[in-house]
Amino acid sequence: EGGSTGMVKSWEALVEQIGNSIRRPEDLNLDLYVTFWSLSLGGILYPKQRYMDMQDNTNAQLKTLDKCMSKVDKEMGSLKEEKLFLEGELARSSSKRGTQRDEQRWKKKLFDHANILHELEGCQKQRDGLRDLKSRFKEMIMGTKAEMFLCEKTCNDNKTCLEEAVKARWSGLEDFDLASFFHHCLLPRMKMSEADALYCGTFLNTVLPMTEKGKEEGDDDGTSLLKCWSFIRSEAGKLIGFLTSAEALRLGIFLSCSAACSSKSAAFSEEFASLWPSLIDKLGEEEYMTRSNAMMVLRRCVGKGLTSEKSFEANKTKLLEVLGKIGNEAEEEDLKQMAKSLTGFIVGKTKKPAAKRPPAPKQQQQQQQ
C-alpha cells in the first residue's frame, strides 16, 4: 500500500515511490535496485533435488510402515485362527469336565483364550497407530507436492518477469555498474543471513546470463557473469578484516556461488584467480580476526568445490604452507585448531584416490590356488 496515497497501482509507481523515499544509488538502475531488494531466495531458486530427496525419504518410510502393517496383519491372522480353535475346544469340553484333570485342561484353554484376546487387542492398537501414521505421511507427501508445485511456479513466474525486465527496462551489463551494484545491493544483503548470501549469488547467476540472450552464438557468451564474479572475487580480500565471524561465513557462501563460471575463468584468469592470493595474504597478517575470517571463507569455498579451479591448484602449496605455519606457531589455540582442521579438509578434498595395492605374496598364492 502507498500509505496516505492509497494502493500502488503499478510497478513503475512503486519504483518511483521507493526512489522518493531513499537516497538514490548513483550509477545504478533504480528498477534493478528495487527488484533485487524485493525478491527472496525462494522466489528465484527452486530446490528440486531437495524436494525429490524429501519425497524419496517419505516414500521409503511408507514402505517400512507397510511392511510393519503386513507383519502385524499376519500375526493377527494367526491369533484369530488360534482363537477360533480354542473357542471350538472350549465349546466341546464345557460339558465334559467330569474329572479334575478335565477341569484343569478347560481352565488352561480358557486362560489361553483370554491371553489371545489381550494380544489381539494390543495388535489392533498397534495397527491403528501405524494406519494413522501412514495417513500423516500421505498428507506430508501431498503437502510436499503442493509446495513443490507452488515453489516451481513462483520461480518460473519470477524468472519470466526478470527476463522481461532485462529485455524491456534494463540495458544489460550497463545497468550492472559493478562497484555500485556490489556496494548498494550485494554487500549489505550478503551480510544479513546465510540465506541472503546464497540469494545474492543465485541472483547474479540467474539474471546476468539473461543479458547475453539475443547475442550471436559464441559472441562473448557468459561474459557478463564472469566479469561480475571476477570483480567481486578481487574485492573480497579487502573485506576480510572488517567482518564479523558470521559475516565471513556468509561471504564464503556468497563466493562459493562463483563456481557457476569457474570453468570459463581462463579469459579473466588474473582477476578471477586473485581470490586465492588475497586470502593467503590475509592469513599471513598478525591480526586475529583477519586470519580467522580468512579461514572461515576458505573452508566454505573449499567445501563448495572451488578446489577444482586451476588457480587454486597453482596456489595450493603456498596456502598449505601458511596454514601449517599458523597451526604450529599461532599464539591462539583456536587458530591453531582451525588451521589444522582446514589443512586436513583441503588435503581430503583435493587428494587423488589411491591406487589399488597389489595383494601380499601369501594372498597372491592363495588366489592362484
Side-chain angles (χ1 to χ4, degrees), residues 8 32 50 161 336:
V8 176
L32 167 62
R50 182 173 296 180
C161 291
K336 285 184 177 181

Side-chain angles (χ1 to χ4, degrees), residues 9 15 23 58 140 142 199 206 266 285 324 338:
K9 296 181 179 180
V15 171
R23 181 187 299 174
T58 307
M140 287 173 58
M142 295 302 295
Y199 165 78
T206 302
E285 295 185 11
M338 287 177 67

Side-chain angles (χ1 to χ4, degrees), residues 200-231:
C200 291
T202 305
F203 185 88
L204 288 179
N205 293 338
T206 302
V207 173
L208 281 175
M210 295 177 182
T211 66
E212 304 293 337
K213 291 185 178 181
K215 292 184 178 182
E216 296 181 3
E217 187 175 355
D219 183 16
D220 294 330
D221 184 43
T223 298
S224 299
L225 183 62
L226 193 52
K227 280 184 177 179
C228 193
W229 276 119
S230 296
F231 171 81

Side-chain angles (χ1 to χ4, degrees), residues 113-158:
H113 183 264
N115 283 340
I116 288 174
L117 290 176
H118 180 71
E119 288 183 38
L120 277 171
E121 184 180 355
C123 287
Q124 187 62 48
K125 288 182 179 179
Q126 184 179 1
R127 194 183 189 285
D128 291 342
L130 290 171
R131 184 186 60 198
D132 293 341
L133 190 58
K134 184 176 179 180
S135 298
R136 289 199 293 272
F137 273 117
K138 286 184 176 180
E139 290 176 3
M140 287 173 58
I141 290 176
M142 295 302 295
T144 301
K145 286 182 178 179
E147 188 179 338
M148 284 175 63
F149 175 77
L150 179 60
C151 182
E152 184 177 18
K153 184 177 183 304
T154 301
C155 290
N156 290 336
D157 290 346
N158 286 339

Side-chain angles (χ1 to χ4, degrees), residues 89-356:
E89 288 290 305
L90 286 169
R92 285 192 295 271
S93 61
S94 59
S95 59
K96 300 178 181 180
R97 291 183 286 163
T99 64
Q100 185 178 2
R101 188 173 182 180
D102 290 337
E103 184 70 21
Q104 289 176 347
R105 287 177 178 174
W106 186 81
K107 287 182 178 179
K108 184 178 183 304
K109 289 176 182 178
L110 197 63
F111 180 76
D112 291 342
H113 183 264
N115 283 340
I116 288 174
L117 290 176
H118 180 71
E119 288 183 38
L120 277 171
E121 184 180 355
C123 287
Q124 187 62 48
K125 288 182 179 179
Q126 184 179 1
R127 194 183 189 285
D128 291 342
L130 290 171
R131 184 186 60 198
D132 293 341
L133 190 58
K134 184 176 179 180
S135 298
R136 289 199 293 272
F137 273 117
K138 286 184 176 180
E139 290 176 3
M140 287 173 58
I141 290 176
M142 295 302 295
T144 301
K145 286 182 178 179
E147 188 179 338
M148 284 175 63
F149 175 77
L150 179 60
C151 182
E152 184 177 18
K153 184 177 183 304
T154 301
C155 290
N156 290 336
D157 290 346
N158 286 339
K159 286 179 180 178
T160 300
C161 291
L162 286 171
E163 287 177 347
E164 292 175 355
V166 170
K167 182 178 179 181
R169 305 197 304 273
W170 306 345
S171 55
L173 187 60
E174 294 176 7
D175 280 320
F176 281 78
D177 179 271
L178 297 182
S180 183
F181 188 67
F182 180 68
H183 290 288
H184 288 288
C185 295
L186 297 174
L187 181 57
R189 184 151 187 181
M190 177 272 296
K191 293 181 179 180
M192 293 170 63
S193 69
E194 293 182 17
D196 284 297
L198 183 57
Y199 165 78
C200 291
T202 305
F203 185 88
L204 288 179
N205 293 338
T206 302
V207 173
L208 281 175
M210 295 177 182
T211 66
E212 304 293 337
K213 291 185 178 181
K215 292 184 178 182
E216 296 181 3
E217 187 175 355
D219 183 16
D220 294 330
D221 184 43
T223 298
S224 299
L225 183 62
L226 193 52
K227 280 184 177 179
C228 193
W229 276 119
S230 296
F231 171 81
I232 291 168
R233 285 169 59 123
S234 67
E235 292 289 303
K238 303 174 185 178
L239 306 172
I240 298 294
F242 302 97
L243 303 175
T244 65
S245 296
E247 289 171 347
L249 175 63
R250 294 161 194 166
L251 176 61
I253 294 173
F254 175 50
L255 291 174
S256 67
C257 295
S258 66
C261 56
S262 293
S263 60
K264 304 174 183 177
S265 61
F268 299 91
S269 57
E270 185 175 348
E271 192 176 18
F272 195 84
S274 63
L275 173 66
W276 307 113
S278 177
L279 289 174
I280 291 172
D281 290 342
K282 296 300 177 182
L283 288 172
E285 295 185 11
E286 295 298 323
E287 207 274 321
Y288 172 84
M289 282 302 297
T290 300
R291 301 167 100 181
S292 176
N293 288 347
M295 283 190 275
M296 284 273 195
V297 173
L298 267 169
R299 188 172 189 89
R300 179 60 64 169
C301 291
V302 170
K304 291 299 180 179
L306 297 190
T307 52
S308 60
E309 296 178 7
K310 292 181 179 180
S311 54
F312 176 82
E313 287 295 329
N315 291 278
K316 178 183 171 184
T317 303
K318 178 65 175 176
L319 176 60
L320 292 176
E321 287 178 2
V322 175
L323 288 173
K325 185 177 180 180
I326 295 174
N328 294 325
E329 301 177 5
E331 296 180 1
E332 300 86 353
E333 189 61 31
D334 58 337
L335 283 184
K336 285 184 177 181
Q337 294 302 322
M338 287 177 67
K340 292 176 181 178
S341 174
L342 184 56
T343 299
F345 193 56
I346 291 172
V347 172
K349 284 283 183 180
T350 57
K351 69 179 180 181
K352 297 180 180 178
K356 188 175 180 181

